[in-house]
Amino acid sequence: KSEYEVIIIGGGGHGLATAFYLAKNFNIRNVAILEKGWIGGGNVGRNTTILRSNYMYNANNLFYEEGMKMWRNLSQELNYNVMYSPRGILNLAHSDAQMNAYSRRGNSMRLNGIDAVLLNREEVKKIIPMADFSENVRFPIFGGLMQPSAGTARHDAVAWGYARQADSMGVDIIQNCEVTGFD
């Protein structure tokens, strides 16, 4: 088109989500996403699959926990399987200092209403008995911090889900586009 109400540079996860929510929540559909490569071909396709809110600082905890809530219903919202799996996450501690840090982080999480369980060495051993718990290893296991509600998702599937829904609402997705003329 010769004119758009909104132009988004980059068709990664953030650009696609922005276009989707502009269309869904604000009825702004005259939107173009300009992507220099292909949808799902950049960082969103290579990104980690871990979803968690196990951070130390209040603002981070609450921000990521809000994101965790969004993940729980994202497949239904996009009508696309993002392969969300709330299987939990366990961060292993390899020193007393790390156990102390995980204790503080877990307390911060719990104060913000986020599930966190500090585990000692024996409790970790029950969860992952196949790990090497011998004393003379490079990274001995002292314990860990578990967030049972954390999980995984396929970020490339998220990109395709957002793209599909944004496209169905009238957003133009222009791939293999070279953007010039911006200073």
Side-chain angles (χ1 to χ4, degrees), residues 58 61 105-114:
N58 290 342
N61 278 339
R105 183 187 295 182
N107 288 336
S108 172
M109 291 169 64
R110 284 187 295 278
L111 285 171
N112 284 294
I114 300 168

Side-chain angles (χ1 to χ4, degrees), residues 33-165:
I33 300 174
L34 306 180
E35 169 55 45
K36 70 179 177 180
W38 61 92
I39 299 301
N43 190 47
V44 72
R46 296 185 301 270
N47 204 341
T48 179
T49 63
I50 297 171
L51 309 171
R52 60 196 173 97
S53 57
N54 63 347
Y55 294 88
M56 177 66 185
Y57 301 105
N58 290 342
N60 290 358
N61 278 339
L62 298 172
F63 177 78
Y64 285 102
E65 185 61 16
E66 188 62 31
M68 292 287 292
K69 290 175 188 171
M70 291 175 71
W71 279 106
R72 292 180 186 115
N73 298 311
L74 193 59
S75 288
Q76 291 79 16
E77 183 174 19
L78 298 178
N79 192 28
Y80 196 87
N81 186 4
V82 299
M83 298 176 216
Y84 171 69
S85 176
R87 59 185 67 196
I89 185 172
L90 172 59
N91 294 104
L92 297 178
H94 301 290
S95 67
D96 284 328
Q98 241 181 350
M99 280 298 291
N100 288 336
Y102 283 170
S103 176
R104 287 180 33 241
R105 183 187 295 182
N107 288 336
S108 172
M109 291 169 64
R110 284 187 295 278
L111 285 171
N112 284 294
I114 300 168
D115 58 332
V117 181
L118 188 67
L119 303 171
N120 65 33
R121 178 183 167 94
E122 292 307 312
E123 292 168 320
V124 170
K125 197 173 195 174
K126 289 178 186 173
I127 295 170
I128 51 170
M130 72 293 292
D132 187 349
F133 286 87
S134 60
E135 300 293 328
N136 298 324
V137 294
R138 184 172 181 191
F139 297 106
I141 298 171
F142 281 61
L145 180 63
M146 185 168 149
Q147 183 183 6
S149 66
T152 62
R154 286 281 306 267
H155 287 79
D156 55 339
V158 171
W160 284 107
Y162 275 130
R164 184 171 160 252
Q165 285 300 89

